[in-house]
Structure formats: structure tokens, C-alpha cells
Amino acid sequence: MKLSKFNIVIIIGFLAIVGVIIMQLFIINNAHKLAKKDTEDKIFFALQDVLEKLYKDNQTGLLVANQVEKVSGNYFTVNVNYEFENTILEHYLISEFQKNNLDVDFEYAIYNCTSDQMAFSNHINSNGKKEPIKCPTCFTKNPEYTYYFAIRFPDIEQNYFKNLNQYWIFTTVLFLVLIIYVYSVVLMLKQKKYTELQKDFINNMSHEFKTPLASILIASNYVKQQSEIKENTKLMKYNQIIVNQTNKLNEHIEKILYVAKTESKQMLIDKTKFEIKPVLDLVKDNILLKYDKKIDIEINVAKPFQITADEFHMYNILFNLVDNAVKYSESSPKIEINVTQSHQQLSIQIKDNGCGIPAKDLPFVFDKFYRVSRKDITNIEGFGIGLSYVKKICDLHHWKIAIANNIEKGVTVTILINSKEYV
């Protein structure tokens, strides 16, 4: 199976993070071994120093080799080879451990040759506090020695891990990164799947919806030309309703397709140079043809500006804005379109005398499917995607768009085009 570039990047990223985590675990393992060896060496040297002090007190030299013996990772025996006081031993143990920076709990026991038993002493915390021994059964006799003591470090393993805190923190962060990465990959794969489904939906919708609508329009226009229909006022009226509603449905489908294409990145912007005035004139002519009422549209262009944009989508967004201005205006809509240059930007302003937009709704009018609820106007249909489409086209061109209520009545929509995109 051939892998896409997207899948290859995901696999490489996943393997890289796994490799880093494995390397980090290897580093932690080595650091644990080094910490363990360092601690055991310090214990050995500290016990050796304790032995030297005990022999110095007894005014004798070391008579036995290998007197400090490691029985296990946390258990040591020390062959003293003569009698000694437990209080003196405890003092030396505490002082030598502090001297060697051994910040660990320990407990010790001394072999009593008279009773042939281990005589238990104290459990001493790292802060020097003395407590009873917590595990008497952990001390065992050594038949090879006569005068010796045993020392045990119950929490030494925890101490090793405590010293590796920074390594564990870094490893935890890496694991979190891996989890987030895997989660992100899953979301991306799901999103990719949804994008493909959306693409299929758009293609199917284009065919399954627009083809029947085109057939209905052709048939309706043909029927309208028949003499029987022309002579019957009711049939003519019904046929005109079919044509109008079909055109309206076709217009809604076009808007849905535009928005869907921008979401799925299928929409391509084909930029060309053209004059803005003829486009505005075309918008005006089509608006006047669409509505059977008096509409006053005034177009003011400071000079013949040429802009670099997608002419098809430019026409669509201007038509949508003017169409909205007509819909939400009174019986005699008055729309003023001003194209001016200011601060190295081309400004296209569409001002109407409509009912305006409530202040609470202004920040959301460009959101997809958002519709302003109005009690005064209930006969206007739509999906709330017209202004969303306008905003997306402006974003694709890197233009700015804003909407604000006028002081008296109506709203003004302003599109700002960068200086590099017009002359």
C-alpha cells in the first residue's frame, strides 16, 4: 500500500518520539545504576571510617581484611572483631554519614555473643531522629563473626529515585507529548476522513441537487411559453411561483456549496486584474431585476480603480451584501456604495437605510449559520451563511471586513483592500 506524505510524516514523528522516550529510559536506567554505586561507595567508606575510629579508641590496628561486607543492596555487616559500645557506634555512624552526605534513614543491630542473638538498637531518620527498629526480622546472624554489627537502609531505593526527579519529570513530559501527539494524529485522521466525506457530499450535492433544479427551470420556462398557460392567469401565477422558488432554492444551494468548499479547502482563488466599477454596475442591474419594487442604488467611485482579486467571488460577495441591504430595508430601500482610497487602502462601503442590527448580534453576524432574531421582520428566509461566505472570501484575499450600525438608521459594511492589490 502506497503511503501518502501525510502518513509518512505521522509515522516519522511517532517513531522519533518513541525513540527519544526509549533513549530517556536508557539514560534513567544508567543514572539509577550510577546513583546506586555512588551511594554504596559512600556507605562503604563511611563504615570503614567508623571501623577506624573504633579501632583507634581500642588502640589497635585493623586485624581482619574485608571487614565491611555488602549482603544485599540495602544490608551491610561490619566485623569489628572485638567488643564495643553501642552508644559510641551510633555516634560514629551518625557523624560519618553526615560527613559523607548520606541523607538516608538507617537502623542497626549488634550481635550479642552471650545470648547468640542480634541485639536491636535504633532506627535513625535522615534528620537524626531516633525511633524503634521497624523490621527486627530483617537482621540475621552471621556465624563467621563474633563481634560485629549489621546496618540496614530501608528506604535506600526510594532515595535513588528521589535523586532522579529531574529525569522522571522530563520522561513524564515526553510521555505526555507522546499522548498528545497520538491524540492529535487520531483527530487529524478523523478530520481527514470527514474532509473526504465532505468532498464527496459537495460533489454529490452539485449533481443530485443542481441537475433536477436545472430541469425544473427549463421545464417551467417552456411551460410559460405555452398559449394555454399564458391565457390562464392562475396557471401563469403558479408557474411563476415554481420559477421563483426554484431560483431561490438554487441560490441557497450555491451559498451552501461556496461555504462547504471554503471549509474543505477546495475553493481556489483565481486572481485577475479588473475594474471595480463594472462589477458594481452589474450587481446593481441584477438586484434591480430581482426585486419588483423601487430600489435606489447610488454608486460613487472616486476613480477607475483596478483591483487584483477573483472577479467571480468579488461579484458574489458584493451581490450578497447589496441583497441583504435590500432585504432588511423598508419599502423604498436606499443603498449607497462608496469606493474611496485612504491610508494606502481601498475602501468599499455599502451603506443602507434598513432596520439595523442589534448591538448584541453585531460580533456574530459573520459566523456560519448565525441569524439575527427579529420580531419586526419574519418573512425573510435564509440559512445564515451569506455573510459567512462573504467573510471567508475576504479572508482568502487577506482583506478586512467590518460592519457597524449607522447613527440614524441602517448599517454600513466596509471592505478594506491592501494597497498591493489595487491601482
Side-chain angles (χ1 to χ4, degrees):
M1 182 179 66
K2 187 176 179 182
L3 296 175
S4 65
K5 291 182 179 179
F6 176 78
N7 292 330
I8 291 173
V9 170
I10 289 175
I11 293 171
I12 292 174
F14 182 80
L15 292 176
I17 293 178
V18 171
V20 171
I21 290 177
I22 292 173
M23 186 180 297
Q24 181 65 16
L25 292 175
F26 178 75
I27 292 172
I28 289 177
N29 184 54
N30 286 343
H32 177 265
K33 289 179 180 178
L34 290 173
K36 185 176 182 181
K37 185 178 183 304
D38 181 61
T39 302
E40 289 178 355
D41 288 344
K42 287 181 179 180
I43 291 172
F44 179 83
F45 290 129
L47 294 177
Q48 196 72 32
D49 291 340
V50 170
L51 263 178
E52 289 180 4
K53 287 187 176 183
L54 289 174
Y55 273 82
K56 187 176 180 181
D57 291 342
N58 197 42
Q59 296 182 352
T60 181
L62 296 178
L63 302 177
V64 182
N66 300 323
Q67 290 175 272
V68 179
E69 180 184 356
K70 175 187 171 185
V71 179
S72 65
N74 68 338
Y75 188 77
F76 294 78
T77 59
V78 182
N79 181 18
V80 182
N81 208 33
Y82 71 89
E83 291 187 68
F84 55 91
E85 295 289 334
N86 68 318
T87 54
I88 295 174
L89 172 63
E90 186 173 298
H91 171 73
Y92 286 156
L93 286 172
I94 294 173
S95 62
E96 288 303 319
F97 283 176
Q98 289 177 349
K99 179 180 175 182
N100 285 274
N101 296 321
L102 282 167
D103 188 20
V104 290
D105 293 7
F106 69 91
E107 51 191 26
Y108 69 97
I110 302 171
Y111 176 69
N112 188 329
C113 59
T114 304
S115 63
D116 191 28
Q117 295 293 332
M118 298 296 291
F120 303 112
S121 295
N122 296 317
H123 177 102
I124 302 173
N125 293 331
S126 57
N127 56 11
K129 184 180 178 182
K130 298 177 183 179
E131 299 175 358
I133 281 185
K134 297 180 180 179
C135 184
T137 58
C138 295
F139 291 92
T140 57
K141 293 188 296 182
N142 190 330
E144 298 178 6
Y145 303 147
T146 303
Y147 301 103
Y148 68 95
F149 68 91
I151 186 166
R152 179 176 170 270
F153 302 91
D155 302 322
I156 197 168
E157 283 295 330
Q158 290 89 326
N159 191 66
Y160 295 149
F161 285 101
K162 183 180 177 182
N163 293 333
L164 298 174
N165 276 346
Q166 57 181 346
Y167 292 99
W168 286 115
I169 291 172
F170 187 57
T171 304
T172 303
V173 171
L174 282 176
F175 272 114
L176 289 175
V177 170
L178 178 60
I179 292 170
I180 294 171
Y181 180 82
V182 171
Y183 179 70
S184 301
V185 168
V186 171
L187 288 182
M188 291 170 68
L189 291 175
K190 284 184 178 180
Q191 185 63 38
K192 186 180 179 183
K193 180 181 177 181
Y194 293 150
T195 302
E196 291 174 354
L197 290 173
Q198 188 181 44
K199 183 179 179 180
D200 292 339
F201 167 75
I202 293 170
N203 293 334
N204 290 332
M205 186 174 181
S206 300
H207 175 73
E208 299 296 337
F209 281 77
K210 292 179 71 64
T211 302
L213 286 175
S215 300
I216 293 171
L217 281 174
I218 292 172
S220 299
N221 288 325
Y222 175 77
V223 168
K224 187 170 63 174
Q225 303 300 323
Q226 304 306 308
S227 57
E228 294 87 347
I229 302 298
K230 290 181 179 179
E231 293 171 0
N232 192 315
T233 307
K234 282 188 176 181
L235 291 178
M236 192 68 178
K237 181 180 179 181
Y238 294 150
N239 186 75
Q240 189 59 42
I241 291 173
I242 293 173
V243 172
N244 291 340
Q245 294 302 315
T246 303
N247 284 325
K248 185 180 291 186
L249 182 58
N250 188 59
E251 183 181 326
H252 288 324
I253 290 173
E254 286 291 341
K255 289 180 180 179
I256 292 173
L257 287 174
Y258 290 148
V259 174
K261 284 181 179 179
T262 56
E263 291 291 333
S264 62
K265 310 298 181 186
Q266 292 185 51
M267 183 176 289
L268 299 176
I269 299 299
D270 183 20
K271 291 185 177 182
T272 57
K273 272 191 176 182
F274 59 91
E275 281 193 26
I276 189 65
K277 181 65 165 58
V279 176
L280 292 171
D281 290 337
L282 182 61
V283 170
K284 177 180 178 179
D285 293 341
N286 288 334
I287 289 291
L288 295 177
L289 287 172
K290 180 178 179 180
Y291 292 95
D292 187 19
K293 61 180 178 179
K294 183 181 179 182
I295 302 172
D296 183 8
I297 301 177
E298 180 182 344
I299 300 174
N300 302 309
V301 180
K303 66 176 186 177
F305 291 107
Q306 274 197 340
I307 66 171
T308 303
D310 188 305
E311 187 172 359
F312 173 75
H313 291 298
M314 186 68 183
Y315 165 82
N316 283 336
I317 65 174
L318 291 173
F319 184 89
N320 274 333
L321 293 174
V322 177
D323 190 37
N324 277 351
V326 174
K327 285 180 182 177
Y328 294 100
S329 294
E330 297 174 348
S331 57
S332 299
K334 184 176 182 180
I335 300 163
E336 186 178 335
I337 304 175
N338 297 309
V339 182
T340 57
Q341 181 181 7
S342 62
H343 301 97
Q344 296 185 338
Q345 287 182 317
L346 186 68
S347 171
I348 303 175
Q349 286 189 332
I350 300 172
K351 181 179 179 181
D352 63 55
N353 64 340
C355 54
I357 299 174
K360 66 180 181 65
D361 293 311
L362 273 176
F364 310 106
V365 293
F366 292 114
D367 293 349
K368 188 167 55 175
F369 305 127
Y370 186 86
R371 296 200 67 203
V372 178
S373 57
R374 299 178 182 276
K375 295 181 180 179
D376 54 336
I377 300 177
T378 57
N379 61 340
I380 297 178
E381 302 174 358
F383 299 124
I385 60 175
L387 289 179
S388 172
Y389 165 70
V390 171
K391 180 69 166 61
K392 285 194 174 294
I393 295 301
C394 288
D395 290 342
L396 288 172
H397 283 86
H398 305 291
W399 299 339
K400 293 180 180 179
I401 184 169
I403 187 168
N405 285 312
N406 301 327
I407 296 175
E408 295 180 357
K409 60 187 305 187
V411 299
T412 298
V413 180
T414 304
I415 298 174
L416 296 176
I417 300 175
N418 299 325
S419 59
K420 295 180 180 179
E421 297 178 335
Y422 76 91
V423 290

